[in-house]
Amino acid sequence: MVMTPEQKRIVEFAAEQFGPKTVTTDPSDIEPWLTDWRRRYRGAAPAILSPASTEAVSALVALANDLGVALVPQGGNSGMVGGAVPPVDGSALLLSTRRMNRIRSISPEANLAIAEAGVILATFRDAAEAAGRRFPLDLGARGSATIGGLVSTNAGGVQVLRFGTMRALVAGIEAVLPDGSVHDGLSALKKDNRGYDLTQLLIGAEGTLGIVTAATLRLVPAAAARAVAWIGLDSPAKALTLLRRLQAATDMIESFEIMPDDTVALVLEHVPGTRLPLSGRHRWHVLVEAVSSDVAAEAPSAVLERLLADAFAADLAQDAVLAASEAQAEAFWRIRHSISEAERAAGPAVQHDISVPVDDMPRFMVEGGAEAEARFPGTHAIAYGHLGDGNVHFHVRAPQGADHDRWYAEDGPRITRLVHDMVVAAGGSISAEHGIGQMKRDELARLSPPARIAALRAIKTALDPRHILNPGKLVALAPETGRT
Ligand code: FAD
Ligand code: MLT
Ligand code: ZN
């Protein structure tokens, strides 16, 4: 791919100043990083910049800003909204943080650690455990998602119920701003009221306001014991009542993931080695995890066992099994975390990562699905995920045999507009945890009050007046800027 003279200048500067590993222009190296995990978006880039230090990121961004060259920050490229995919016209360079993979410090006494942006979630979680602590954020992409991506998408995952999203777990950020200057906000002060909170502004900014180079992250005490149960039940309404009873009885509940039976069946069909934990089928399944960090406290398994017996007596659950070993607990989780993979194998679908008020979620899951299927005959709607967060993944599968491209071009967007209209009517959000990226940029503009879009544009233009960082993502800029 031909580079512009400005892009060439940056590529040469990168190699001269920071060594040959800091850049690749080899198409076979670049290729795997040009499409998103779901393979819904594909872009082009003449080079990937791979700086290994904040100093290098700062110098490269400063030069890109001087020359007006667009950069797309990329971590693990596991994002679900096409946020790390470069524009199709090759006008941007990818800037990968994967070489910035040092854990700078872990302080168990302070329950804090400083990790660079390219550290992979699984690596960081292991390092916290080795230090006798836990980093309480987990999701299916733990083997590829990076700290910088998790911060920039304000990721959620399966432990939000007890510990919140990434926003709650970030105590400080170091980032390179669009002019190349470095925001050093890593010190984890308990109180700091020096004006606008740049750390919170950069969390969830999806690489449009700065490049996160490191983060100070909160840790929690190590788990003394955990219990994982797989439950079969009749409805999301009963599941929510069950969750409320569990939470009222104990503070150990960390995860409560709901899945419809046909989604579990899809995993069992497409993912080798998975099998249903219960003997019979149930219309809905819940995976619940209880964790205690207090060795003297009642064991989570005993607590769950007791509470599930009450649930049976109250006809809230029809069947349940407690994992008898760590291996079995992991086998339960493997089913839940394989849903995206199974769904990707099963054919065209439009995905929605939505949130509505928690109490409205059961109604939305059932009625929303029925409405989508009624309006688009032959489609199949499913809703699964983080029920207690008021966040489910509401996916609508194409009719059997639908033409893949035509469906994505025609009915897919219509279904998305229907789903998003239903969500907004319920007072919900069209993006609960995945962000906006390019996938929801136009829907965000369509469904937001003009004042909100104007404010987002003003922030973007104030910090990145040349619009070099991640163009085309999150908020569409005013047409007069000449950039999308
Ligand atoms: P990338 O995909 O590389 O980038 C994501 C966005 O952040 C892009 O806009 C990119 O430009 C920007 N970015 C990346 N690094 C930086 C940086 N250092 N500075 C500035 N901007 C940057 N997400 C959830 O929230 N909850 C889930 O439960 C969940 N489960 C998942 C399960 C599977 C199987 C998969 C594939 C994904 C899942 N995700 C989930 C989505 C994804 O893992 C998260 O969005 C994650 O935060 C992306 O991290 P990443 O390093 O891959 O970022
Ligand atoms: C999940 O909870 O599995 C993820 O957010 C991914 C998805 O939406 O498929
Ligand atoms: Zn999710």
Side-chain angles (χ1 to χ4, degrees), residues 38 80 257 336 339-340 343 384-386 393 395 433-434:
R38 278 211 176 100
M80 286 286 188
E257 296 290 308
R336 167 60 185 89
I339 294 176
S340 310
E343 195 194 47
Y384 69 89
H386 326 293
H393 300 298
H395 297 180
E433 57 178 9
H434 294 164

Side-chain angles (χ1 to χ4, degrees), residues 99-107 112-131 135 147 213-215 217 219:
R99 288 183 65 215
M100 297 185 71
N101 54 14
R102 286 185 314 125
I103 296 175
R104 294 185 187 169
S105 67
I106 294 188
S107 323
L112 291 170
I114 297 178
E116 293 186 338
V119 172
I120 290 173
L121 176 58
T123 307
F124 185 65
R125 283 170 58 89
D126 291 347
E129 295 231 344
F135 180 62
I147 294 299
T213 47
L217 300 168
L219 305 177

Side-chain angles (χ1 to χ4, degrees), residues 208-239:
T208 62
L209 300 180
I211 296 182
V212 174
T213 47
T216 305
L217 300 168
R218 293 191 170 88
L219 305 177
V220 299
R226 76 165 177 170
V228 180
W230 191 281
I231 305 166
L233 37 70
D234 284 344
S235 69
K238 286 193 175 181

Side-chain angles (χ1 to χ4, degrees), residues 49-330:
L49 304 173
S50 300
S53 68
T54 304
E55 178 219 355
V57 175
S58 170
L60 292 169
V61 171
L63 184 57
N65 191 47
D66 289 349
L67 299 173
V69 172
L71 301 173
V72 175
Q74 196 179 78
N77 198 28
S78 70
M80 286 286 188
V81 290
V85 175
V88 289
D89 62 3
S91 60
L93 301 177
L94 276 172
L95 188 146
S96 167
T97 61
R98 289 184 291 277
R99 288 183 65 215
M100 297 185 71
N101 54 14
R102 286 185 314 125
I103 296 175
R104 294 185 187 169
S105 67
I106 294 188
S107 323
E109 319 70 46
N111 281 314
L112 291 170
I114 297 178
E116 293 186 338
V119 172
I120 290 173
L121 176 58
T123 307
F124 185 65
R125 283 170 58 89
D126 291 347
E129 295 231 344
R133 291 293 183 272
R134 260 189 322 148
F135 180 62
L137 183 139
D138 194 17
L139 43 79
R142 80 177 68 75
S144 51
T146 63
I147 294 299
L150 293 163
V151 170
S152 302
T153 58
N154 181 28
V158 295
Q159 294 174 292
V160 170
L161 204 53
R162 193 176 190 186
F163 298 106
T165 65
M166 204 57 188
R167 195 172 292 285
L169 298 171
V170 173
I173 275 180
E174 174 192 82
V176 173
L177 300 176
D179 65 357
S181 61
V182 178
H183 163 63
D184 180 0
L186 284 174
S187 60
L189 300 172
K190 278 273 187 218
K191 297 170 85 169
D192 179 4
N193 255 344
R194 290 173 288 175
Y196 305 124
D197 187 333
L198 281 180
T199 292
Q200 287 299 326
L201 180 65
L202 288 166
I203 296 170
E206 299 184 48
T208 62
L209 300 180
I211 296 182
V212 174
T213 47
T216 305
L217 300 168
R218 293 191 170 88
L219 305 177
V220 299
R226 76 165 177 170
V228 180
W230 191 281
I231 305 166
L233 37 70
D234 284 344
S235 69
K238 286 193 175 181
L240 186 56
T241 305
L242 173 60
L243 171 60
R244 293 260 195 262
R245 286 171 75 127
L246 294 177
Q247 289 180 312
T250 174
D251 65 356
M252 292 182 185
I253 307 301
E254 289 199 0
S255 301
F256 191 93
E257 296 290 308
I258 191 168
M259 298 153 270
D261 189 53
D262 55 7
T263 302
V264 172
L266 204 64
V267 171
L268 304 181
E269 180 193 341
H270 287 281
V271 182
T274 53
R275 59 177 200 76
L276 189 64
L278 301 176
S279 51
R281 304 304 288 258
H282 295 271
R283 288 169 60 202
W284 293 87
H285 301 261
V286 159
L287 191 161
V288 59
E289 177 163 319
V291 179
S292 166
S293 53
D294 176 357
V295 288
E298 187 183 9
S301 52
V303 170
L304 270 194
E305 206 149 10
R306 175 160 46 78
L307 296 174
L308 287 174
D310 296 346
F312 290 136
D315 189 29
L316 289 175
Q318 271 54 53
D319 194 358
V321 58
L322 263 177
S325 65
E326 267 301 303
Q328 201 179 22
E330 287 306 310

